[in-house]
Amino acid sequence: MSIKKLEPPPLIEKLELRSYSRNEIARLTEVSLKDKNFAAKVKTRLTNWGYGYNYSSRTVEITKIPTTAEERLKELLIRKLDFSVQTDFKAFTIMLHLFRTDRNFMAMPWKTRETVLYEQYGITIADSTMRNWTSKLLSDDVLLKSFSANHNLWCTHIENGIKYQEKISETDEKMAEYKKYNAMRSQLLAEAQEANNTTNCWGGVINKLWNNFHCCYYTVKPIEPVAWYDDDYKEIFSLV
């Protein structure tokens, strides 16, 4: 499993219980002093990050800092990963915990992950939202989509208009059907290549396979935690 080497994202500089000059607060909140809405933007960011403050034209006194695990995690996720203040931070926390501890969760389809959060934790969150969160962690090399042999085989089928996804084990009786499915897929792809009909042939192959087997088999590569983290991510994981 290879890990790409990228420059780590900068560490978050947290605020202390003291007074800050306008220049200092502008740098920390990344708001330009020339911005005509400087005061409003600074106040909004400090509030979203969980800080209490007394704002004046010359200084900003920090009167409260994030102290609970929830407050500290929220600040880190907003500032480190640019999450919106409306983010479901509880759902993200559970998702990240499962990526680090649950081998099955690491290698299952997104819709099934969505079902796991709902059925096991009472969390309603769209799989597309989890994809977006994960893409941020992948881009920072905190999670890695593995291309090793450690993958799971899944099957999708539809009953009464409802889509079902199930994991297929080596001892499952469906393995025999999967081998037939795989053989037919190889044959159809070879025929398409022989006929020089490789453009958009995959959709046609899948349709023929679905018509024959009334399902779709596919492998899911695991999304795994990477061995290194910067200090911000170490704190995020400890808070999780």
Side-chain angles (χ1 to χ4, degrees):
M1 180 172 67
S2 62
I3 300 175
K4 56 183 182 296
K5 299 296 183 182
L6 299 177
E7 286 295 322
L11 295 177
I12 299 303
E13 184 177 349
K14 297 178 182 178
L15 285 73
E16 302 172 346
L17 293 171
R18 66 176 179 86
S19 292
Y20 289 83
S21 67
R22 282 174 61 86
N23 285 332
E24 287 179 306
I25 211 71
R27 177 180 62 81
L28 289 166
T29 58
E30 298 182 335
V31 179
S32 172
L33 287 169
K34 298 179 181 179
D35 194 316
K36 64 180 181 180
N37 297 315
F38 177 80
K41 289 183 178 179
V42 166
K43 291 177 182 179
T44 296
R45 292 189 183 183
L46 291 177
T47 298
N48 289 346
W49 296 352
Y51 289 92
Y53 56 86
N54 290 324
Y55 186 95
S56 71
S57 59
R58 291 189 176 184
T59 63
V60 177
E61 179 190 8
I62 298 301
T63 59
K64 174 187 175 298
I65 61 175
T67 55
T68 68
E70 291 83 356
E71 290 172 342
R72 292 162 59 199
L73 182 61
K74 181 179 178 180
E75 179 192 6
L76 281 165
L77 295 180
I78 290 174
R79 299 182 66 188
K80 187 75 172 181
L81 292 172
D82 197 29
F83 278 4
S84 164
V85 70
Q86 284 82 31
T87 298
D88 188 333
F89 294 102
K90 181 178 180 180
F92 174 84
T93 299
I94 293 171
M95 183 200 77
L96 184 57
H97 172 71
L98 292 174
F99 270 134
R100 298 185 70 230
T101 61
D102 190 325
R103 299 298 303 179
N104 288 324
F105 190 85
M106 293 177 193
M108 63 175 53
W110 284 104
K111 276 294 181 184
T112 301
R113 291 183 179 124
E114 178 184 312
T115 301
V116 167
L117 262 69
Y118 177 72
E119 293 184 347
Q120 297 185 17
Y121 299 92
I123 298 292
T124 301
I125 197 76
D127 69 298
S128 59
T129 300
M130 287 194 287
R131 288 173 187 263
N132 290 335
W133 292 342
T134 302
S135 69
K136 293 177 181 289
L137 298 173
L138 290 169
S139 66
D140 279 358
D141 276 352
V142 178
L143 296 177
L144 178 71
K145 185 175 291 186
S146 174
F147 292 94
S148 66
N150 298 322
H151 59 264
N152 289 335
L153 177 65
W154 286 78
C155 175
T156 292
H157 62 281
I158 297 176
E159 293 182 15
N160 300 320
I162 300 175
K163 181 185 290 187
Y164 294 92
Q165 294 173 324
E166 61 178 313
K167 182 181 175 182
I168 308 300
S169 67
E170 290 292 333
T171 58
D172 197 295
E173 60 183 17
K174 286 193 174 182
M175 282 300 296
E177 182 183 69
Y178 168 66
K179 291 178 180 178
K180 295 178 182 178
Y181 180 99
N182 209 25
M184 183 175 181
R185 179 175 59 188
S186 298
Q187 178 185 344
L188 291 172
L189 287 172
E191 290 174 353
Q193 291 175 345
E194 186 176 342
N196 293 321
N197 185 27
T198 56
T199 303
N200 297 324
C201 72
W202 184 245
V205 168
I206 291 298
N207 286 335
K208 291 179 181 178
L209 289 168
W210 188 275
N211 290 335
N212 278 270
F213 295 91
H214 307 292
C215 67
C216 177
Y217 289 94
Y218 50 95
T219 57
V220 178
K221 302 291 185 181
I223 297 175
E224 302 174 339
V226 180
W228 72 269
Y229 313 109
D230 66 21
D231 287 343
D232 287 337
Y233 276 117
K234 287 178 182 177
E235 184 173 4
I236 287 172
F237 291 136
S238 71
L239 292 170
V240 165

